[in-house]
């Protein structure tokens, strides 16, 4: 009784149901001596099904398959066709499975399930040359209202196909009749574009996005494809996105654009997109969460708190309407952000109150890390480190968060040597973890070991030439020390090739321009950086340029703003001390 029934035995009641249902449909007659000649399911066929299933259970899959497929043909029952396919697949008889699926499709030409089995088995057998017709049929069999969705999902069939270039050709052949249609052209080109992207052809994917948008400017598929292409290497992709944004974009698409802008570190533009969503659709909860997170990043604590509380109110209304309360990672993110706001206000009791509302085990490490930060702010740095180190590690990501949190605690409390030693120990085991190596290099500079810093950064550049943070860090360090300025400028410009809109790299460029005596250009560049990202360190540099140009009021104003953003920023504090300024 306690043992689980085998999969095959569990299927036996289904066959009995099919057989009995078909048998029950026959007209009743008083004690017939033999089944009616036109019966879809007579006694003999009934027992044929049982024998087929028992044969399969005994390991005689070939016999079972033949009996069930024969019964399917006699009854024209889709469930029996499907069972025959499954028996063949379970016994790894791909050709037999294909034969059964094709027999099913021939008997029931309008069956989408039959056609999908044919399609999937052909792909599994790597007989890609035969799939164009089933792909066409998959689209043709779809109801008009869901046809576009079916077209967009066609690339999923090629997920395990190694020859992606061939997959592109086959998909284009299958969708040839739809690529120039006003009704289906946009989703068709979106599907082709995604397949081209998987085949390593981003230029072809961008062309597909453009052609899809030309057929239907309001379609979401082409713009979502363009969003995945947005990068310094594909600057033209954003033109597709912006063209769509000129109309009345869906909030979800606008938020996707905001995320792409965040990835590009274009924070001000991302914030503007999110603010538009919250204005046009104030009940969009996710938009308020993103808006609050961005406002917190800009140190606008009051605005961030208001946005995050609005998000919580909307989530509560949603729970009340649905009658179900489900744990949400988004809720945890909001609680963590609100705890950070309270912590920065030194309201540690309120910070703990927010943290206590997080119950999901997945967020334990992040929650305790925040608690450790609160302890460190109260001078309990050793207790904070112990809290972090005792946390369980459910995944490599948890271990990484623990390490980063401990390093940041030490850095914030100016224990640079301990932070450096901790990272050095880890990077010795993980010599190609470039993010940790980068952090180690910045700590080496804090310790005055500029030769060590340069060695680490040049090592990163040699092994990972697209790691733009290393170019920027080395270039900025040279500029800040006012040495090898031509080389510093070259390094920073290289970093900008990879991240042209990064406000912090732009700040580095402005600083090197200032060091080289190009004050007007330095002012222009630093103003651009500060507009894109109001930050205390950028404010320190911009203020010093104003000061050197004799624009003292502008300098004082910028420095005051910087102090409001972060009164503890080392660069800003050092600048004011060096210039003997009290804003």
């Amino acid at each position: 009784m306690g043992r689980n029934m085998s999969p095959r035995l569990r299927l036996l009641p289904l066959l009995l149901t099919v057989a009995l249902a078909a048998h029950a449909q026959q007209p009743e007659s008083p004690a017939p001596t033999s089944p009616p000649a036109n019966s879809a399911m007579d006694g003999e066929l009934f027992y044929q099904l049982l024998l087929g299933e028992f044969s399969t259970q005994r390991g005689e899959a070939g016999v079972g398959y033949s009996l069930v497929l024969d019964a399917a043909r006699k009854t024209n029952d889709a469930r029996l066709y499907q069972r025959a396919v499954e028996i063949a697949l379970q016994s790894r008889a791909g050709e037999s499975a294909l034969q059964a699926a094709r027999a099913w499709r021939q008997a029931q030409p309008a069956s989408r399930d039959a056609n999908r089995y044919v399609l999937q088995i052909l792909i599994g057998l790597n007989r890609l040359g035969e799939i164009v017709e089933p792909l066409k049929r998959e689209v043709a069999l779809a109801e008009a209202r869901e046809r576009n969705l079916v077209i967009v999902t066609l690339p999923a069939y090629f997920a395990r196909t190694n020859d992606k270039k061939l997959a592109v050709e086959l998909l284009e052949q299958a969708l040839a009749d739809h690529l120039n249609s006003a009704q289906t052209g946009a989703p068709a080109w979106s599907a082709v574009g995604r397949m081209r992207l998987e085949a390593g052809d981003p230029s072809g994917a961008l062309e597909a996005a453009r052609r899809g948008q030309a057929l239907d400017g309001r379609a979401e598929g082409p713009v979502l494809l363009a969003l995945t292409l947005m990068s310094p290497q594909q600057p033209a992709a954003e033109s597709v996105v912006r063209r769509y944004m000129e109309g009345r974009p869906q909030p979800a698409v606008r938020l996707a654009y905001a995320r792409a802008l965040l990835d590009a570190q274009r924070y001000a533009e991302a914030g503007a997109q999110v603010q538009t969503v919250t204005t046009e659709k104030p009940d969009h909860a996710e938009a308020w969460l993103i808006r609050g997170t961005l406002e917190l990043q800009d140190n606008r604590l009051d605005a961030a708190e208001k946005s995050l509380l609005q998000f919580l109110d909307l989530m509560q209304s949603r729970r009340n309407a649905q009658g179900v309360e489900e744990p949400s990672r988004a809720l945890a993110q909001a609680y963590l952000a609100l705890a950070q706001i309270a912590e920065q206000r030194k309201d540690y009791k309120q910070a703990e109150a927010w943290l206590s509302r997080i119950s999901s085990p997945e967020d334990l490490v992040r929650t305790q890390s925040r608690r450790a930060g609160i302890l460190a702010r109260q001078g309990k740095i050793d207790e904070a480190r112990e809290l972090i180190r005792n946390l369980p590690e459910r995944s490599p990501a948890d271990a990484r968060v623990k390490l980063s949190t401990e390093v940041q605690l030490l850095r914030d409390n100016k224990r640079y040597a301990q932070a450096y030693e901790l990272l050095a120990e880890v990077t010795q085991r993980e010599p190609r973890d470039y993010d940790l190596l980068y952090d180690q290099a910045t700590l080496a500079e804090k310790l005055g070991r500029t030769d060590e810093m340069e060695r680490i950064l040049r090592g990163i550049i040699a092994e990972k030439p697209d790691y733009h943070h290393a170019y920027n860090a080395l270039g900025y360090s040279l500029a800040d020390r006012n040495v090898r300025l031509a080389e510093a400028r070259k390094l920073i410009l290289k970093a900008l090739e990879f991240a042209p809109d990064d406000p912090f790299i732009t700040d580095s460029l402005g600083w090197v321009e200032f060091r080289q005596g190009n004050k007007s250009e330095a002012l222009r560049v630093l103003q651009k950086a500060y507009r894109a990202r109001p930050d205390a360190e950028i404010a320190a540099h911009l203020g010093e340029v104003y000061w050197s140009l004799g624009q003292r009021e502008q300098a004082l104003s910028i420095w005051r703003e910087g102090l409001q953003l972060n009164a503890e920023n080392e660069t800003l504090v050092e600048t004011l001390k060096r210039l003997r300024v009290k804003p």
Side-chain angles (χ1 to χ4, degrees), residues 432-567:
R432 284 184 169 78
D433 191 322
Y434 301 111
D435 290 334
L436 295 183
L437 284 167
Y438 172 83
D439 288 342
Q440 185 183 351
T442 60
L443 284 165
E445 184 179 35
K446 290 286 187 185
L447 293 167
R449 304 175 190 171
T450 54
D451 290 344
E452 175 73 1
M453 174 212 68
E454 186 166 339
R455 182 190 64 78
I456 295 172
L457 292 177
R458 290 198 184 279
I460 295 173
I461 290 170
E463 292 187 19
K464 191 172 175 57
D466 61 344
Y467 195 89
H468 63 273
H469 302 294
Y471 295 100
N472 180 56
L474 183 52
Y476 176 76
S477 175
L478 294 174
D480 202 44
R481 287 181 281 134
N482 208 16
V483 298
R484 292 148 54 194
L485 296 179
E487 182 184 0
R489 192 173 192 278
K490 183 178 178 180
L491 287 163
I492 293 165
L493 289 174
K494 184 65 175 179
L496 282 170
E497 289 179 16
F498 294 103
D501 299 303
D502 188 315
F504 294 109
I505 303 178
T506 305
D507 170 64
S508 298
L509 179 61
W511 194 234
V512 78
E513 293 284 4
F514 176 66
R515 290 298 205 193
Q516 289 182 313
N518 306 322
K519 293 183 180 180
S520 297
E521 180 63 9
L523 181 62
R524 184 191 69 80
V525 173
L526 288 168
Q527 286 173 333
K528 176 185 175 182
Y530 192 70
R531 282 195 303 270
R533 179 68 186 274
D535 176 84
E537 186 149 337
I538 301 175
H541 295 149
L542 178 57
E544 185 160 351
V545 174
Y546 275 128
W547 190 265
S548 71
L549 291 169
Q551 301 178 35
R552 301 301 173 89
E553 287 302 319
Q554 291 92 328
L556 292 171
S557 175
I558 289 293
W559 284 330
R560 290 188 193 106
E561 289 180 16
L563 289 170
Q564 288 180 344
L565 291 167
N566 185 358

Side-chain angles (χ1 to χ4, degrees), residues 76 97 267 275 288 463 488 499 507:
N76 196 30
Y267 302 109
Q275 189 162 358
W288 285 106
E463 292 187 19
D507 170 64

Side-chain angles (χ1 to χ4, degrees), residues 157-177:
Y157 284 107
F158 298 97
R160 296 184 180 180
T161 302
N162 293 326
D163 193 342
K164 300 297 185 184
K165 291 184 179 179
L166 177 59
V168 172
E169 295 177 13
L170 297 171
L171 184 62
E172 290 190 34
Q173 291 176 36
L175 293 175
D177 295 338

Side-chain angles (χ1 to χ4, degrees), residues 241-549:
V241 180
R242 288 184 171 176
R243 195 171 297 118
Y244 172 84
M245 292 293 165
E246 291 171 359
R248 295 182 61 82
Q250 291 294 318
V253 180
R254 193 183 285 279
L255 282 182
Y257 183 35
R259 293 189 199 97
L261 292 170
L262 286 173
D263 290 341
Q265 299 188 353
R266 293 160 59 182
Y267 302 109
E269 294 172 78
Q273 293 296 329
V274 173
Q275 189 162 358
T276 299
V277 176
T278 56
T279 300
E280 295 179 351
K281 194 172 175 58
D283 61 344
H284 198 298
E286 184 189 5
W288 285 106
L289 177 60
I290 297 174
R291 177 173 170 173
T293 303
L294 284 170
E295 289 165 339
L296 175 57
Q297 185 173 273
D298 288 341
N299 212 39
R300 297 163 55 199
L301 301 187
D302 292 342
E305 182 179 48
K306 183 178 179 181
S307 296
L308 292 166
L309 290 175
Q310 178 69 12
F311 163 75
L312 293 179
D313 287 344
L314 290 169
M315 292 295 286
Q316 183 63 54
S317 299
R318 184 185 299 176
R319 289 197 298 273
N320 292 340
Q322 295 175 348
V324 178
E325 183 167 353
E326 298 180 356
S328 168
R329 302 300 298 276
L331 283 172
Q333 181 180 337
Y335 294 143
L336 285 165
L338 286 164
Q340 184 177 342
I341 291 171
E343 178 188 335
Q344 288 184 225
R345 291 171 172 166
K346 299 187 176 169
D347 187 348
Y348 304 126
K349 183 178 180 181
Q350 181 60 57
E352 177 55 40
W354 286 120
L355 293 176
S356 66
R357 299 180 69 170
I358 302 173
S359 58
S360 57
E362 297 87 354
D363 295 296
L364 175 64
V365 172
R366 290 198 301 162
T367 304
Q368 294 296 78
S369 296
R370 192 81 262 151
R371 286 194 170 99
I374 294 172
L375 288 171
R377 277 183 175 268
Q378 298 175 80
K380 304 174 183 178
I381 181 65
D382 294 329
E383 188 176 339
R385 293 184 71 186
E386 189 68 20
L387 176 62
I388 293 299
R389 293 194 165 190
N390 288 335
L391 284 173
E393 296 176 10
R394 294 181 171 83
S395 68
D398 284 348
R400 187 58 173 268
V401 170
K402 286 176 59 176
L403 174 65
S404 299
T405 301
E406 187 173 1
V407 169
Q408 192 61 46
L409 288 174
L410 293 168
R411 185 193 292 268
D412 290 344
N413 287 271
K414 295 183 171 52
R415 296 191 181 186
Y416 301 129
Q418 289 176 284
Y420 180 89
E421 290 167 8
L422 180 60
L423 280 175
E425 179 183 340
V426 177
T427 55
Q428 190 171 8
R429 299 193 306 267
E430 303 289 343
R432 284 184 169 78
D433 191 322
Y434 301 111
D435 290 334
L436 295 183
L437 284 167
Y438 172 83
D439 288 342
Q440 185 183 351
T442 60
L443 284 165
E445 184 179 35
K446 290 286 187 185
L447 293 167
R449 304 175 190 171
T450 54
D451 290 344
E452 175 73 1
M453 174 212 68
E454 186 166 339
R455 182 190 64 78
I456 295 172
L457 292 177
R458 290 198 184 279
I460 295 173
I461 290 170
E463 292 187 19
K464 191 172 175 57
D466 61 344
Y467 195 89
H468 63 273
H469 302 294
Y471 295 100
N472 180 56
L474 183 52
Y476 176 76
S477 175
L478 294 174
D480 202 44
R481 287 181 281 134
N482 208 16
V483 298
R484 292 148 54 194
L485 296 179
E487 182 184 0
R489 192 173 192 278
K490 183 178 178 180
L491 287 163
I492 293 165
L493 289 174
K494 184 65 175 179
L496 282 170
E497 289 179 16
F498 294 103
D501 299 303
D502 188 315
F504 294 109
I505 303 178
T506 305
D507 170 64
S508 298
L509 179 61
W511 194 234
V512 78
E513 293 284 4
F514 176 66
R515 290 298 205 193
Q516 289 182 313
N518 306 322
K519 293 183 180 180
S520 297
E521 180 63 9
L523 181 62
R524 184 191 69 80
V525 173
L526 288 168
Q527 286 173 333
K528 176 185 175 182
Y530 192 70
R531 282 195 303 270
R533 179 68 186 274
D535 176 84
E537 186 149 337
I538 301 175
H541 295 149
L542 178 57
E544 185 160 351
V545 174
Y546 275 128
W547 190 265
S548 71
L549 291 169

